[in-house]
Amino acid sequence: MRHQSLRSTATTHRARGTTGATRPLRALSTTAHVLMAGSLLLAGVALVMPASAATPVAAEQSLPLSIPAGPLDQSLNRLAASARRLLVVDPALLRGRQAPAVEGNLPVSRALEQLLSGSGLVADQRDDGSIHVRKLPAQSSNLPALTVVATSAADPGAGLQRPASSGALGSRSLLETPFSITVVDKDDIQERQVTTVEQAFRYDPSVTSASGEYGRGSSLLVRGLGIDDTNGFKMDGLALPGWGNDLLPMEVFERVELLKGLSGFMYGFGSPGGIMNYVLKRPTDENLFAVDVGYKTGSLFSKHIDMGGRAGDDQRLGYRINLVQEQGGTYFKGGSLDRTVASLATDLKLSPDLKLSFDTVYARRKSNGNAFWGMSLASGLDLPTAIDPRTRQQPEGAYFSNENIVVSTGLEWQLNPDWKSSFNYRYAREDVDYVYGDISINDALGNSSTQVYGGIYSFQYQQLQAMLEGKLKTGAIGHQLVFGASRQQYEVLSDRASTSTAVGSGNIYRDSLLSVGGISNAGHSQYRGSEIVQNALFASDTLSLGEQWSLIGGLRYTRFDQRGYNRVGVQTTTYQRSPVTPTVALMFKPLAGLTTYVSYVEALERGGTAGDTTANAGEVMPPLKSKQIEAGVKVEQANWSATAAVFRMQRAAEYVNAANTLVQDGETRYQGLDLSGRYALTPALNLEGGLMWLDAKYQSDSADLAGKQVVGAPRMQATAGGRYRIAGVAGLSVNGGLRHVGRSKLDTGAPQRELSAYTVMDVGAVYRTRLSGKDVTFNAQVQNLADRRYWVYNGDSYIFAGAPRTLSLNARVEF
């Protein structure tokens, strides 16, 4: 189980580090060099190509649009966001009005005509690109004052209409997706000063933090389950190495999507915790140049440049560049962070219907002297009083460094208004290098011992994927079809000389006086430890059975081939499976903006391998099978939205039994209720909240496990938040939120030890103004306002000290 394997994963790869000596950039492989060179060549060709060679461009460019029927205000917001235009309208004019669906490649003017048809309203497009909606002239003698309608995620009316990736189901709005998905977009990321995915999904009641901000990863549990390190992380729907990639730089992403639960049909093999999909910021049609500077508790300073636009005589080349540098101290005594990020997204419009893209993300992060992992609690000990998280917990010289390169290229072809195809290639590599201490709590007084581990590891993906999406009708039944094929190759490069040593004793309530000693990764080399190849074919069909009913069916065939190798390159293990994973869902939409659904999905994940210290060391387990059924409702109205889902997930159980043997016995069952909603109480006050109730238990023949609560899975979580615009000060708003995490079990002992519940409060303020003709935003956010001390689950018998009160300041200027 992912939540139980958090610790074993760390142990497997734990030896990683150097003494801080500079290493060559191993992530820039030959493949990455070729693709980045291709990006530069693409830009050069577009800039020097004479305009006469290009396809003539119409006076008004068409956009590929897929706007479902629904409330008029939401449809206009969606069109404005797609066209990157400012929408100006009195909200009272739109209240209660409905808009028809708009599909196909259309200019903005034509799309506006369709949306406003029969409404008594008309739209004017101004020279500055803004769209102004007003009554028809015969009714416009006394026009009310105009109000800007935002398209921010903070606006409750925009939430469920936003698009989200669903793998083999294609891209569709949240309202049209029969699964639970949470999306956090760039506006929310900027406003709340989000730097980790834990912070991004802090107000999703089904998400629990399982680690810290500056360590090996900001690990998450989703409905009590972790996200698969091997297959659980994506960028634009394609694979990423997942070891620590929940700490990818949030500044370069347009949004982050979290698909909860099983994903076998959508994405192939993977544990059932869910899929985290990062969506890269894309080129903008209008020129963009913005600069951020920030500060965070502990003297951590950051700079961020975000620029985009289009180039060339015919504006066919689009670009988006993000540059980030962050350096300084953290809230840990003696801790520091050094982070450098660069991203480039480009697209070249070869014709109005054909687009070529090249994208690159590079991120380097080195964390020194921070808490990289939690502390293990010896058997039989009660949970200790929570420590001050600011203490020096790691030995002197401890660090964790990871370096990522992601390079992608793709071709998108809009075959006709109803059909489109895409072909994408991705190369992604992560290099990890660390030396850090594993702390064991030995008695009730907090006395501890530390074992230091060091080593270097690398993880790399190559993936090819082709997809065809389209619509057709057979009689009265409409079909939304997706066909695809994918090849994915994943390699793990392991350290030939990983090391560990005991370095001494201490006490968790006092600063560590230890040192990593002579442990160093200098001179270490790597070998190919394992390789996984997945070849897949998939297809899905969404059948429209009239205006209200639709049925989704899908199948994925995967050829899964895993091979393990020893240090001298000899193959030691082989693991091959060829499963077919289905999904089926029924949706009913009795009213506009209301969807009810029931869905069933299956998934398979690779079985574990018995560790070196088990009685059956080296034995490879068969695939773990999971099944999930979910029923839910999603509703979006003019000033409120809500989602509710009941779910039941059954997963084969795998663990080391009392005889020290890795076995698969029985299953774990997760069932519960997941609620969330937003409400605009007044034009100035927006509220949001959520609740999750979870019953997670072991269903096993083993008397040691049967009926016990699954570790790390709180029975109840709740969140509440709000945002209020101060009437007396234009541009000023305040925000705040509460997060409550209920009690959970720390281990499967007899009796099970329990983690206490905790509640954390965050507050903040945002002030938007204009200075010297520039849009300027000042932002201040405080996390854990009451400086509450608490433990979070970090793996079976492992605990991690929650973050203290932290202040984040930021100023953003848009030129």
Side-chain angles (χ1 to χ4, degrees):
M1 293 164 243
R2 165 65 177 143
H3 57 278
Q4 288 183 304
S5 65
L6 281 168
R7 194 65 221 160
S8 60
T9 301
T11 303
T12 302
H13 304 298
R14 189 156 32 188
R16 176 85 67 159
T18 70
T19 57
T22 302
R23 298 186 292 118
L25 182 59
R26 295 179 298 160
L28 293 179
S29 68
T30 301
T31 305
H33 276 304
V34 169
L35 288 177
M36 283 192 293
S39 299
L40 297 176
L41 179 61
L42 169 65
V45 169
L47 290 173
V48 303
M49 183 180 293
S52 59
T55 302
V57 179
E60 185 177 8
Q61 189 176 24
S62 296
L63 296 173
L65 298 173
S66 180
I67 302 176
L72 178 58
D73 57 347
Q74 297 171 17
S75 298
L76 288 171
N77 268 329
R78 190 165 182 178
L79 174 62
S82 298
R84 299 185 180 277
R85 303 282 191 88
L86 177 67
L87 175 64
V88 181
V89 64
D90 177 10
L93 292 178
L94 308 181
R95 190 169 297 127
R97 298 181 186 272
Q98 298 293 309
V102 173
E103 299 282 348
N105 280 351
L106 298 171
V108 172
S109 58
R110 180 59 179 155
L112 286 168
E113 289 176 8
Q114 292 187 19
L115 290 176
L116 298 175
S117 175
S119 68
L121 303 176
V122 66
D124 299 321
Q125 297 188 63
R126 304 287 175 85
D127 291 339
D128 61 1
S130 62
I131 300 170
H132 291 244
V133 177
R134 57 184 174 84
K135 290 183 180 180
L136 288 171
Q139 301 174 336
S140 60
S141 56
N142 293 302
L143 286 177
L146 296 176
T147 303
V148 174
V149 177
T151 58
S152 164
D155 180 357
L160 297 181
Q161 295 293 346
R162 74 186 80 183
S165 300
S166 299
L169 285 178
S171 182
R172 53 181 68 206
S173 73
L174 296 178
L175 194 63
E176 301 289 328
T177 304
F179 303 100
S180 293
I181 301 179
T182 299
V183 176
V184 179
D185 68 13
K186 68 179 188 310
D187 296 318
D188 207 13
I189 290 171
Q190 289 174 1
E191 178 151 325
R192 294 195 289 116
Q193 294 297 288
V194 167
T195 57
T196 69
V197 290
E198 183 277 324
Q199 295 168 7
F201 295 100
R202 177 164 292 178
Y203 296 114
D204 184 326
S206 64
V207 176
T208 312
S209 171
S211 189
E213 182 173 355
Y214 301 117
R216 165 249 184 256
S218 180
S219 300
L220 299 180
L221 300 177
V222 183
R223 295 177 176 173
L225 286 155
I227 299 178
D228 191 339
D229 284 344
T230 303
N231 292 294
F233 292 89
K234 315 290 179 184
M235 190 179 88
D236 297 325
L238 299 179
L240 286 175
W243 211 64
N245 269 348
D246 42 9
L247 287 177
L248 279 175
M250 301 296 290
E251 297 92 340
V252 307
F253 298 114
E254 186 75 19
R255 63 184 185 271
V256 185
E257 305 167 343
L258 177 61
L259 169 65
K260 305 174 188 178
L262 273 62
S263 57
F265 162 71
M266 283 79 82
Y267 292 99
F269 264 62
S271 66
I275 294 292
M276 184 79 68
N277 182 46
Y278 299 90
V279 179
L280 190 65
K281 288 180 177 177
R282 302 307 309 167
T284 56
D285 289 332
E286 304 295 332
N287 289 333
L288 166 70
F289 187 85
V291 176
D292 288 75
V293 292
Y295 163 84
K296 201 165 189 177
T297 293
S299 72
L300 188 59
F301 293 91
S302 63
K303 291 87 69 179
H304 173 212
I305 296 174
D306 184 1
M307 65 183 82
R310 307 205 70 84
D313 292 338
D314 48 13
Q315 303 289 288
R316 289 191 302 145
L317 176 67
Y319 66 91
R320 187 71 173 270
I321 298 171
N322 276 265
L323 304 171
V324 181
Q325 208 284 322
E326 186 175 39
Q327 188 173 22
T330 64
Y331 63 76
F332 292 99
K333 187 174 182 179
S336 66
L337 183 70
D338 187 352
R339 192 166 64 99
T340 301
V341 181
S343 72
L344 169 67
T346 63
D347 65 52
L348 177 61
K349 296 179 180 179
L350 302 175
S351 75
D353 299 319
L354 188 63
K355 181 173 67 176
L356 179 66
S357 63
F358 282 93
D359 306 326
T360 302
V361 176
Y362 169 73
R364 179 189 60 80
R365 174 183 177 275
K366 186 170 184 181
S367 180
N368 297 286
N370 300 300
F372 304 110
W373 199 263
M375 304 175 180
S376 66
L377 188 61
S379 177
L381 292 181
D382 291 333
L383 189 72
T385 302
I387 66 172
D388 183 346
R390 304 171 185 83
T391 57
R392 185 193 298 272
Q393 300 173 37
Q394 282 289 310
E396 182 70 26
Y399 69 91
F400 187 98
S401 176
N402 58 324
E403 189 172 57
N404 287 272
I405 183 76
V406 183
V407 185
S408 310
T409 184
L411 189 65
E412 297 181 13
W413 187 9
Q414 189 73 38
L415 303 172
N416 58 46
D418 292 328
W419 286 87
K420 65 180 179 179
S421 63
S422 62
F423 182 83
N424 294 281
Y425 171 75
R426 158 74 50 77
Y427 174 86
R429 175 164 173 145
E430 178 184 17
D431 293 316
V432 181
D433 174 352
Y434 63 82
V435 172
Y436 68 78
D438 191 327
I439 302 167
S440 299
I441 304 172
N442 300 322
D443 60 35
L445 298 177
N447 292 313
S448 62
S449 56
T450 299
Q451 186 90 4
V452 171
Y453 294 84
I456 56 173
Y457 292 82
S458 298
F459 313 88
Q460 63 182 21
Y461 266 109
Q462 293 192 72
Q463 183 174 2
L464 286 166
Q465 179 167 286
M467 290 181 65
L468 176 65
E469 301 180 55
K471 300 177 182 179
L472 56 81
K473 284 195 120 181
T474 55
I477 299 177
H479 300 267
Q480 182 178 339
L481 298 165
V482 178
F483 302 99
S486 174
R487 177 178 173 83
Q488 178 176 299
Q489 181 175 341
Y490 174 68
E491 289 185 326
V492 176
L493 304 180
S494 300
D495 193 338
R496 295 181 185 275
S498 58
T499 55
S500 67
T501 186
V503 295
S505 302
N507 188 283
I508 63 172
Y509 298 105
R510 296 191 295 269
D511 290 332
S512 174
L513 301 177
L514 303 174
S515 169
V516 298
I519 285 192
S520 168
N521 296 330
H524 286 201
S525 61
Q526 295 177 319
Y527 68 97
R528 182 175 60 166
S530 65
E531 178 185 61
I532 299 173
V533 177
Q534 295 188 60
N535 293 306
L537 297 172
F538 52 86
S540 69
D541 185 2
T542 301
L543 296 88
S544 298
L545 311 174
E547 294 185 359
Q548 296 180 318
W549 291 92
S550 57
L551 177 67
I552 297 177
L555 289 174
R556 174 185 285 262
Y557 165 81
T558 303
R559 170 71 174 181
F560 185 93
D561 188 346
Q562 178 179 345
R563 302 175 189 274
Y565 302 88
N566 62 20
R567 284 175 168 79
V568 296
V570 176
Q571 182 176 316
T572 56
T573 60
T574 300
Y575 180 80
Q576 294 180 333
R577 294 293 186 275
S578 298
V580 175
T581 49
T583 191
V584 62
L586 180 65
M587 294 190 294
F588 174 59
K589 293 177 280 189
L591 301 169
L594 172 62
T595 300
T596 63
Y597 67 91
V598 59
S599 61
Y600 172 81
V601 63
E602 293 183 2
L604 283 170
E605 59 186 294
R606 61 190 179 105
T609 301
D612 294 340
T613 59
T614 59
N616 57 336
E619 182 180 352
V620 178
M621 298 289 106
L624 291 167
K625 187 173 184 178
S626 302
K627 300 177 181 180
Q628 175 182 289
I629 187 168
E630 179 174 305
V633 57
K634 302 180 181 183
V635 57
E636 180 137 52
Q637 298 302 313
N639 61 345
W640 66 279
S641 65
T643 64
V646 291
F647 58 89
R648 180 185 177 99
M649 195 276 290
Q650 296 167 271
R651 182 194 192 198
E654 181 178 278
Y655 58 94
V656 177
N657 63 16
N660 195 33
T661 302
L662 181 66
V663 297
Q664 291 181 354
D665 170 45
E667 66 180 21
T668 50
R669 185 198 64 202
Y670 300 76
Q671 58 186 13
L673 174 66
D674 192 348
L675 304 172
S676 63
R678 296 172 181 261
Y679 180 52
L681 185 62
T682 71
L685 178 60
N686 291 333
L687 302 175
E688 62 179 306
L691 173 71
M692 182 191 70
W693 172 81
L694 177 66
D695 178 27
K697 291 182 178 178
Y698 296 102
Q699 310 292 313
S700 172
D701 294 334
S702 168
D704 294 336
L705 285 180
K708 289 187 175 180
Q709 186 175 337
V710 174
V711 297
R715 292 186 66 87
M716 194 272 287
Q717 293 182 205
T719 63
R723 184 175 290 102
Y724 180 69
R725 294 190 291 275
I726 306 297
V729 183
L732 177 63
S733 64
V734 294
N735 59 75
L738 286 171
R739 176 176 182 79
H740 174 78
V741 178
R743 296 176 180 271
S744 62
K745 301 301 182 182
L746 182 61
D747 58 20
T748 57
Q752 287 185 280
R753 289 178 292 187
E754 192 169 67
L755 279 173
S756 302
Y758 62 89
T759 302
V760 176
M761 175 187 292
D762 303 334
V763 298
V766 179
Y767 178 56
R768 296 180 174 88
T769 186
R770 287 184 67 82
L771 297 175
S772 301
K774 307 293 189 297
D775 291 328
V776 180
T777 303
F778 298 101
N779 195 324
Q781 302 291 322
V782 180
Q783 297 178 6
N784 192 1
L785 178 66
D787 203 21
R788 176 74 185 274
R789 296 185 185 180
Y790 58 96
W791 294 113
V792 299
Y793 172 81
N794 190 232
D796 198 338
S797 298
Y798 272 78
I799 53 179
F800 192 97
R805 179 168 49 235
T806 304
L807 171 67
S808 298
L809 301 174
N810 184 270
R812 177 181 176 88
V813 182
E814 298 184 31
F815 294 91

